[in-house]
Amino acid sequence: MFTSLDVVIPVYNSASWISECIKFVESTLERAGLKDSRVIVVDDGSTDNLRIVINNLRSQRVHLISQENLRSEEHTSELQSRVDISYAVFC
């Protein structure tokens, strides 16, 4: 049985909904007792105010990775090379 789970959310210009999504994921992780889990938001070159929205959440659990817009499955392999994770769910 594992006690943590990293939830990876790839996004592009998602400032309008990302806050609600992250709050839902965090509350679900808490209810499941996965207190050491992380929410990793992978910004695929957004041009909206996504970074500001993420920073305003002020959550220790949320980590933002920004990269240039790859628009393909390349961002999944790029993420795997940059983050050390044992268990992850890609949303």
Side-chain angles (χ1 to χ4, degrees), residues 45-86:
S46 294
T47 57
D48 61 2
N49 64 340
L50 177 78
R51 288 182 195 109
I52 294 169
V53 171
I54 299 291
N55 289 335
N56 286 340
L57 290 174
R58 302 196 190 288
S59 173
Q60 299 294 327
R61 184 187 300 244
V62 178
H63 302 275
L64 176 64
I65 296 176
S66 296
Q67 62 188 26
E68 67 180 73
N69 187 287
L70 299 176
R71 295 184 186 190
S72 70
E73 293 179 3
E74 289 179 46
H75 78 280
T76 301
S77 60
E78 171 72 14
L79 171 67
Q80 290 170 337
S81 71
R82 293 174 63 182
V83 178
D84 179 27
I85 51 179
S86 298

Side-chain angles (χ1 to χ4, degrees), residues 1-90:
M1 188 72 171
F2 54 90
T3 59
S4 69
L5 178 73
D6 290 337
V7 178
V8 180
I9 307 171
V11 296
Y12 178 75
N13 288 342
S14 305
S16 64
W17 58 264
I18 193 64
S19 180
E20 183 177 334
C21 177
I22 290 171
K23 288 176 185 176
F24 175 79
V25 169
E26 285 187 307
S27 68
T28 301
L29 291 169
E30 284 293 323
R31 284 194 313 272
L34 301 170
K35 297 181 193 294
D36 296 329
S37 299
R38 297 181 299 174
V39 179
I40 303 169
V41 179
V42 182
D43 175 17
D44 197 25
S46 294
T47 57
D48 61 2
N49 64 340
L50 177 78
R51 288 182 195 109
I52 294 169
V53 171
I54 299 291
N55 289 335
N56 286 340
L57 290 174
R58 302 196 190 288
S59 173
Q60 299 294 327
R61 184 187 300 244
V62 178
H63 302 275
L64 176 64
I65 296 176
S66 296
Q67 62 188 26
E68 67 180 73
N69 187 287
L70 299 176
R71 295 184 186 190
S72 70
E73 293 179 3
E74 289 179 46
H75 78 280
T76 301
S77 60
E78 171 72 14
L79 171 67
Q80 290 170 337
S81 71
R82 293 174 63 182
V83 178
D84 179 27
I85 51 179
S86 298
Y87 299 100
V89 176
F90 287 81

